[in-house]
Amino acid sequence: MKSLLLLDLDGTLIDTPHYEAWRRAAARMGIIDFTYHEYVVHLAGRPRQEGAVRLLELKKGDARRTVCGSDDVSALAHAKQAEFLRLAARTQLFEDARRLLERVRSTDQCVKFYTASENAASLFKAALRGSEQSVIRGCMVRQRGDQTREALFASLASEYPREAMILVDDAPHAVDAACRLGMRGYQIRRNEYAPVPTESCARTIPTLDDITLPIRY
């Protein structure tokens, strides 16, 4: 029976400047006190449009004007993307991600990568080259704007038995979605601010070194 490792990119494998991009974009709209803690709890792991809605709802009382219309959402999402592209050169692999990918290669573990980000795939490939990692074999899928995480994961898992799969993500809602589908969901929790999954079968780990490969079931 084949096993599969499902890996999120942003915040799990690559250290991307999403928070700083959101902070700068928010400041341009009069929101000057958007904290990292708020980012981790409310925006991390969300598609850009959803993130803009969440940020504006969270901070609508702090802006210089009312910011809750569709034009404001689009403007914030666009500003965030522009800031992110300016900062993207900082992107690199986490050290434990580099070690995990080395173990994926050495054990010939089947792997698929996924992301909600428009740019994460290219940044991941650039980070691999920057760390002198060869490209890992495995498909890379981007979540569509109208697609739930459950639907994304179900499509990625179509060829594999659920009990033979491990999904790793830094976002607790993604780990919960995997668990509800019968997969083993692991949250990589890189900071103390991060909320934790609510599903009882979810597992929280402080480092990707805690994942044993190849997957046993």
Side-chain angles (χ1 to χ4, degrees), residues 13 31 48 57 61 96 102 212:
L13 297 182
I31 302 168
R48 188 165 62 249
E57 285 297 314
D96 58 348
E102 289 174 350
T212 300

Side-chain angles (χ1 to χ4, degrees), residues 9-16 36 91-101 127 131 133 170 188 190 208:
L9 295 182
D10 283 326
T12 299
L13 297 182
I14 51 176
D15 188 7
T16 43
Y36 184 68
T91 301
Q92 56 186 348
L93 286 173
F94 290 107
E95 279 301 306
D96 58 348
R98 181 184 56 77
R99 293 190 295 270
L100 176 66
L101 293 175
S131 67
Q133 284 265 6
D170 63 314
I188 174 67
R190 296 194 180 279
L208 298 175

Side-chain angles (χ1 to χ4, degrees), residues 10-212:
D10 283 326
T12 299
L13 297 182
I14 51 176
D15 188 7
T16 43
H18 284 289
Y19 165 65
E20 183 61 18
W22 279 119
R23 189 191 67 79
R24 294 186 184 191
R28 289 166 59 178
M29 298 188 71
I31 302 168
I32 59 174
D33 61 345
F34 180 53
T35 67
Y36 184 68
H37 178 247
E38 290 170 327
Y39 164 73
V40 169
V41 172
H42 298 284
L43 271 71
R46 306 282 181 176
R48 188 165 62 249
Q49 287 292 122
E50 182 183 349
V53 171
R54 284 173 166 258
L55 176 52
L56 292 174
E57 285 297 314
L58 179 68
K59 292 294 188 177
K60 61 184 177 183
D62 298 337
R64 292 176 295 192
R65 59 188 176 88
T66 301
V67 284
C68 57
S70 58
D71 289 345
D72 295 303
V73 171
S74 296
L76 178 57
H78 179 77
K80 185 267 178 177
Q81 180 66 357
E83 293 291 348
F84 182 80
L85 292 176
R86 275 193 281 272
L87 297 167
R90 302 180 184 180
T91 301
Q92 56 186 348
L93 286 173
F94 290 107
E95 279 301 306
D96 58 348
R98 181 184 56 77
R99 293 190 295 270
L100 176 66
L101 293 175
E102 289 174 350
R103 290 190 288 122
V104 166
R105 185 183 297 106
S106 65
T107 59
D108 202 26
Q109 172 66 56
C110 291
V111 61
K112 293 183 179 181
F113 306 98
Y114 65 90
T115 181
S117 170
E118 180 180 345
N119 307 104
S122 59
L123 294 176
F124 175 55
K125 291 175 182 178
L128 285 174
R129 292 192 296 270
S131 67
E132 299 183 352
Q133 284 265 6
S134 59
V135 175
I136 299 291
R137 288 184 299 171
C139 75
M140 197 170 302
V141 178
R142 182 185 171 200
Q143 181 183 0
R144 301 190 310 270
D146 62 347
Q147 188 180 37
T148 65
R149 278 294 168 98
E150 284 89 345
L152 171 66
F153 297 159
S155 68
L156 291 171
S158 59
E159 303 173 11
Y160 298 83
R162 303 291 169 84
E163 67 273 14
M165 300 176 59
I166 289 178
L167 177 142
V168 188
D169 202 305
D170 63 314
H173 65 277
V175 176
D176 282 335
C179 289
R180 288 193 292 269
L181 290 171
M183 306 175 189
R184 283 179 279 175
Y186 287 21
Q187 181 197 27
I188 174 67
R189 193 164 184 259
R190 296 194 180 279
N191 65 76
E192 61 182 343
Y193 300 128
V196 297
T198 59
E199 293 291 325
S200 60
C201 61
R203 181 179 173 188
T204 298
I205 56 175
T207 172
L208 298 175
D209 295 330
D210 289 347
I211 298 172
T212 300

